[in-house]
Amino acid sequence: MDKIIIELIVRNHPGVMSQITGLFSRRAFNLEGILCAALTGTKESRMFLLVTKDERLPQILKQLEKLYDVLCVTTHIGEEYLFYHELQSLWQRVEAAGPGINSAESA
Amino acid sequence: MKMTGAEIIVKCLERLGVTTITGIPGGSNLPMYDALYHSTIRHILARHEQGAGFIAQGIARSTGKPAVCLATSGPGATNLITAIADARLDSVPLIAITGQVPLPMIGTDAFQEVDMHGLTIPITKHTFLVRNAGDIAETICEAFYIAASGRPGPVVIDVPKDIQNEAVDIETWPEVKPLSLEAEPSEADIRRIAEMIHSAERPLLYIGGGIISSHAAPLIEALSAKNSIPVTSTLMGLGAYPPESPLYLGMLGMHGELSTNMIIDEADLLLAFGVRFDDRATGRVEEFSRHASIIHVDIDHSEIDKIKQSNVSLIADIGEVLKKLLPRVKESSREEWRARIHTLQRQYPPEDTDAYNPLHPLRFIRTLGNNAPPGTFVTTDVGQHQMWTAQSYTFRKPGTFLTSGGLGTMGFGLPAAIGAALANPEDTVICISGDGSILMNIQELATLADYGLNVKLFIMNNNHLGLVRQQQELFYGGHLYASSFITTPDFAALGRGFGIRSRTLDRGTCTGEMLREILHSPGPCLIEVPVDADLNVMPMVPPGKSNREMIGGRTNG
């Protein structure tokens, strides 16, 4: 597996997503998938980023840690992670689904 | 107590010890200006928001403390962008507070609406869009903390007009968190660095702006003296090491000394302290310091191994590291290494500026430095005059050289000089500019005249975008295009038009005494210095080449 999942806990406010995606584009890092949800009962969100594992990964992680709204950065390579299989299968289904597909077909 | 958002902003600034701010009022920040009407804070009205941004930078760079600029929404805010980006690249604690259209109108393409929050994400340390008046006090305190802590940088606070007008109850005022040390260097790390210094035969200190922001200049001097380690500085580090020291090698890199670049190539240990391996310093990075082990100390962990892999790295305040390192480092005279350096310096001697005519920029700027009062601040714009200043002005005090190093912004010099003069009324401020750069923020001559500040503006006039002309001559087959001005204003007349004492120097008649008289007279003045158009900044590392491949340097034997 040449992919890695980066898990972020971020302050939940409008604009935080563009801070993350903006960082990836201006540092010329590839970002292949994003999944984000607000954490119930908090002012925080959890965000999963799917990225290719390459030699620049440490620099990506350092840059993410520097962002004020990013509270926690962890990486998941191994299958022991709780959401690993769900996330992988979700991303694979999204990748495999063609354009214009409706919810019934993709289910 | 009920206060409006705007009143809370101003009160917070007062509580944070801000005494001078700069900006331009407009529709969306008028509530803040109304609050300032009742405040003791001195407001400096600039003539363009970019000028305000660089005036605040001049205050911040010359004091090391956060400084504030204000602008209205839309064009006022976008005019600040260059000054904010500049502050980011040179790690300057700049706080920009911008007005925004009322919250309900955001996203409607309202008059003078621009997404300042979105625009400034990539160029700030952090950017806030305030959505509740109740959050303002905490946001301002947090912004000051972010700007000054760790590696300093700019912070934007965008405040919608209705939030500025909204009255809220405020009972207690938040305090700014004390600046804490990011990470304590461990004893083991310090011991390891000391051991590497002791076992090295040809160590070299490569220092930069981090030494100045950490106030670590005396410690660097002590370390270098104790173990006889030669020192080279980046553009941003100039002034951090005493230039008279026999261990000082001057600036490295693209327009550094040829001998310095050759010496770095022979080092076996590079102590990279408060630097970020910028391409202007390293040249072709694979070739830079290729025989040396690297110890990299920086407060920003993302700088470690970003450009060049280090052998040992420490994420820490360089001052704290040096305090612990100094007692562990043994005295040494390093006679062999110093003899080798001496040989290389004889082989590649510096320019002999005394042989030049008095208005040759290198000789002129050297004379200027030798006649300036102690503690004089120097700002520059960007181009040939900036590099000539770096090469020939003798900087004797850390933090007195203010220049746009990372972003390289033409138009920086005059407003930055105004800011330095506002914050340091007892000192002289010299701005060395060029005929290209000065016109990019010439309107701030009016601000300078308003306050009669002690700024001496020297415009090195060669009627060209000199560094562009130089590159076209050297690397584009001599195709000089769009680098020569068709007309040049009469700068002395322009200065007088703003009410500033102005004169043009005559070729051949400029003496140190004349410059001393100019520098010691009170108030602002503008001096136009004619410069030959065909002069190049030499020596030079051609873009993309290694630092050993400098052209235009002098060689003996």
Side-chain angles (χ1 to χ4, degrees), chain A residues 4 6 11 13 18 20 36 44 53 65 70 77 81 83 91 96 105:
Chain A
I4 189 162
I6 301 173
R11 287 196 177 87
H13 68 80
S18 78
I20 308 289
C36 181
E44 293 161 13
K53 196 173 153 193
E65 283 164 6
V70 172
I77 314 170
Y81 183 59
F83 297 133
W91 268 314
E105 280 172 287

Side-chain angles (χ1 to χ4, degrees), chain B residues 7 126 164 170 195 204 213 239-240 246 248 264 272 287 306 315 394 452 486 512 543:
Chain B
E7 288 165 350
H126 191 59
Q164 296 172 48
I170 182 150
E195 276 162 19
L204 193 121
S213 37
Y248 186 53
I264 294 168
E287 302 276 314
K306 182 182 83 176
I315 301 148
T394 313
I486 297 166

Side-chain angles (χ1 to χ4, degrees), chain B residues 8 89 421 540:
Chain B
I8 294 171
L89 278 175
M540 171 179 201

Side-chain angles (χ1 to χ4, degrees), chain B residues 141 164 266 325 469:
Chain B
C141 284
Q164 296 172 48
E266 297 197 5
L325 183 61
R469 187 205 51 73

